Amino acid sequence: QEKLLRYCNKRGIHVQAYSPLGTPGYKEKHEPNVLADPILNDIATEKGVSVAQVCLAWALQRGTSVVVKSSSVERQKENLNAAKIELNNEEMERINQLDRRYRFFRPEDW
């Protein structure tokens, strides 16, 4: 949604990433699993962090805020530590190219 992000930034509208890690616990078999993406896994392995942290770091670095949830204290800490991770330009671009134009939350389905 790069075009939408540029539009909002140009007009001073802040963008929030709702459920930026997808919905692994609620997805159908045919739906993509963000945390299983091979490129995200490669970047996470190279940096020695989790895939979730890579996703959150990417969202934060592009200027969006994120809304994540976890009942696990360890995962909550991990999510917070994502703000300390810096992705280089190449990593950011690799992630930018992953847009599948798929939306996990579709209001029309509610």
Side-chain angles (χ1 to χ4, degrees):
Q1 294 179 308
E2 194 62 37
K3 187 175 176 181
L4 175 63
L5 186 60
R6 281 194 311 271
Y7 176 90
C8 290
N9 286 340
K10 192 173 189 177
R11 288 157 179 82
I13 301 168
H14 185 75
V15 177
Q16 181 179 50
Y18 181 79
S19 196
L21 304 178
T23 54
Y26 299 100
K27 70 178 216 59
E28 301 291 331
K29 288 183 181 183
H30 70 279
E31 293 181 306
N33 182 344
V34 173
L35 300 178
D37 185 274
I39 291 173
L40 295 173
N41 275 277
D42 286 349
I43 294 170
T45 300
E46 290 166 9
K47 296 199 126 2
V49 299
S50 73
V51 174
Q53 287 177 305
V54 169
C55 293
L56 297 175
W58 171 79
L60 292 169
Q61 245 177 270
R62 68 195 301 241
T64 59
S65 58
V66 295
V67 177
V68 294
K69 73 165 199 74
S70 177
S71 57
S72 161
V73 173
E74 287 306 311
R75 286 231 172 90
Q76 290 171 4
K77 289 177 186 176
E78 183 180 287
N79 290 344
L80 288 171
N81 285 328
K84 299 175 184 174
I85 297 167
E86 288 213 21
L87 301 170
N88 63 36
N89 290 338
E90 178 195 344
E91 292 163 335
M92 289 293 290
E93 188 55 32
R94 287 173 67 194
I95 297 170
N96 289 341
Q97 297 302 312
L98 294 177
D99 187 0
R100 307 288 191 267
R101 305 231 183 274
Y102 186 85
R103 304 295 166 245
F104 288 96
F105 289 98
R106 295 171 298 279
E108 65 273 10
D109 292 343
W110 296 350

